[in-house]
Amino acid sequence: IFMVTFTECLFQTVNKRKLDNMLAEKVEQMMEWSSRRSVIRMNGDKFRRFVKAPPRNYSVIVMFTALQPQRQCSVCRQANEEYQVLANSWRYSSAFSNKLFFTVVDYDEGADVFQQLNMNSAPTFMHFPAKGKPKRADTFDLQRIGFASEQLAKWIADRTDVQIRVFRPPNYSGTIALALLVSLVGGLLYLRRNNLEFIYNKTGWAMAALCVVFAMTSGQMWNHIRGPPYAHKNPQNGQVSYIHGSSQAQFVAESHIILLLNILSHKTSTLHNGSVTLFC
């Protein structure tokens, strides 16, 4: 009995040491890749070894996408830009550690992974926890929430308790556009300083008000806040969806369609009222 117990303890010790060494090698390799680029590219073999297979004491965020030009997935490119911003914010933050890594699996480099996970759409974000298997909440609800970096960071905080403060590169396009607009309006007012009757033009103000109403009722503000994709393209069959299947979300293309329908409806109503007045 003593020999059996001793053998079992020795076997467990050797096995534990082997697992510890394997884990240390995996963490070291992940840290090395992360030092080169914030988002680690993975094929099927790397995914199964470093994300799926134990031992693992770190969480992994995986973006499943289709970035190759022949896939023509504009949504994937937009989501990838936001994902890069988030990964860079984590990589260069003072809180960076080996407890969380950002990776990407492209369909053309890991089609077997898509098949293994029964995944037929891209982009998709998943969290693989340090222990256990991913749950339903570990798949990011991109269709309802959008793929803005801030929304992804909030989801990651809920799943891993890792707080990431998003740092975006400076973008002065909005400031420049505003300055140009102010300059244009100021120049126009200066040139027309002797005749400013157009400011009191009711038709002009009515048209401006209608533009604002059409933009708001079509969901443009929702798009600005949530940052949804323009449309959704299935990487398996190439089918493009412009209308969201849920009543809790929408695509940018859907808001453009609604905007056009609102304009046509208003135009039809105006023509109808004009014809009735003329008839009377």
Side-chain angles (χ1 to χ4, degrees):
I1 297 176
F2 173 78
M3 290 300 296
V4 172
T5 305
F6 176 77
T7 303
E8 290 180 352
C9 291
L10 181 61
F11 177 78
Q12 292 177 359
T13 302
V14 172
N15 189 48
K16 184 178 183 303
R17 183 174 299 178
K18 183 179 179 180
L19 291 177
D20 290 342
N21 292 336
M22 185 183 302
L23 177 59
E25 291 177 0
K26 291 174 68 174
V27 173
E28 182 180 1
Q29 182 64 75
M30 292 289 284
M31 288 295 291
E32 180 183 350
W33 285 333
S34 184
S35 65
R36 298 177 184 175
R37 55 175 61 185
S38 301
V39 178
I40 304 171
R41 297 190 67 89
M42 289 195 165
N43 54 24
D45 294 336
K46 289 181 179 179
F47 175 82
R48 282 183 286 271
R49 179 183 176 188
F50 292 93
V51 179
K52 291 284 291 182
R56 192 178 72 252
N57 63 352
Y58 51 85
S59 296
V60 183
I61 306 299
V62 184
M63 175 184 177
F64 298 94
T65 186
L67 293 173
Q68 297 302 317
Q70 65 268 22
R71 299 296 174 185
Q72 298 181 351
C73 182
S74 59
V75 180
C76 295
R77 291 191 292 272
Q78 297 171 12
N80 182 61
E81 292 176 359
E82 291 294 313
Y83 191 57
Q84 292 287 342
V85 169
L86 179 61
N88 287 330
S89 299
W90 167 243
R91 175 64 184 83
Y92 297 106
S93 70
S94 58
F96 174 75
S97 68
N98 58 8
K99 297 301 181 183
L100 177 66
F101 295 99
F102 288 84
T103 66
V104 60
V105 177
D106 193 278
Y107 181 78
D108 291 279
E109 298 175 2
D112 53 336
V113 178
F114 279 72
Q115 296 174 0
Q116 180 182 353
L117 298 177
N118 295 322
M119 192 172 299
N120 56 9
S121 64
T124 299
F125 298 95
M126 287 188 64
H127 165 243
F128 290 83
K131 296 181 180 179
K133 296 181 179 180
K135 300 178 181 178
R136 183 175 182 178
D138 287 310
T139 299
F140 182 68
D141 192 352
L142 181 146
Q143 305 297 342
R144 184 176 64 87
I145 304 176
F147 48 71
S149 300
E150 291 77 9
Q151 298 296 336
L152 286 168
K154 183 178 179 181
W155 168 67
I156 291 174
D158 293 337
R159 305 311 304 164
T160 66
D161 292 329
V162 174
Q163 303 291 334
I164 303 177
R165 183 180 177 184
V166 177
F167 293 96
R168 293 184 177 275
N171 186 354
Y172 302 105
S173 58
T175 304
I176 295 175
L178 179 61
L180 290 175
L181 178 62
V182 171
S183 300
L184 179 62
V185 173
L188 179 62
L189 291 176
Y190 178 77
L191 293 174
R192 298 291 300 273
R193 62 186 181 277
N194 297 325
N195 183 13
L196 298 178
E197 294 181 359
F198 68 94
I199 296 180
Y200 304 98
N201 190 316
K202 295 182 179 180
T203 303
W205 285 108
M207 293 298 296
L210 282 176
C211 291
V212 174
V213 170
F214 288 150
M216 294 298 105
T217 55
S218 65
Q220 297 298 327
M221 185 57 67
W222 193 94
N223 293 339
H224 178 73
I225 296 174
R226 296 300 185 102
Y230 187 83
H232 176 70
K233 183 175 183 179
N234 191 319
Q236 298 286 347
N237 52 29
Q239 183 178 359
V240 180
S241 300
Y242 297 99
I243 306 297
H244 198 281
S246 171
S247 61
Q248 304 297 321
Q250 70 174 20
F251 298 131
V252 175
E254 186 174 349
S255 64
H256 291 169
I257 295 173
I258 295 174
L259 175 63
L260 179 61
L261 291 177
N262 286 340
I263 294 175
L264 292 176
S265 175
H266 174 75
K267 189 67 175 178
T268 303
S269 176
T270 302
L271 293 174
H272 176 71
N273 292 336
S275 63
V276 171
T277 303
L278 181 64
F279 178 77
C280 294

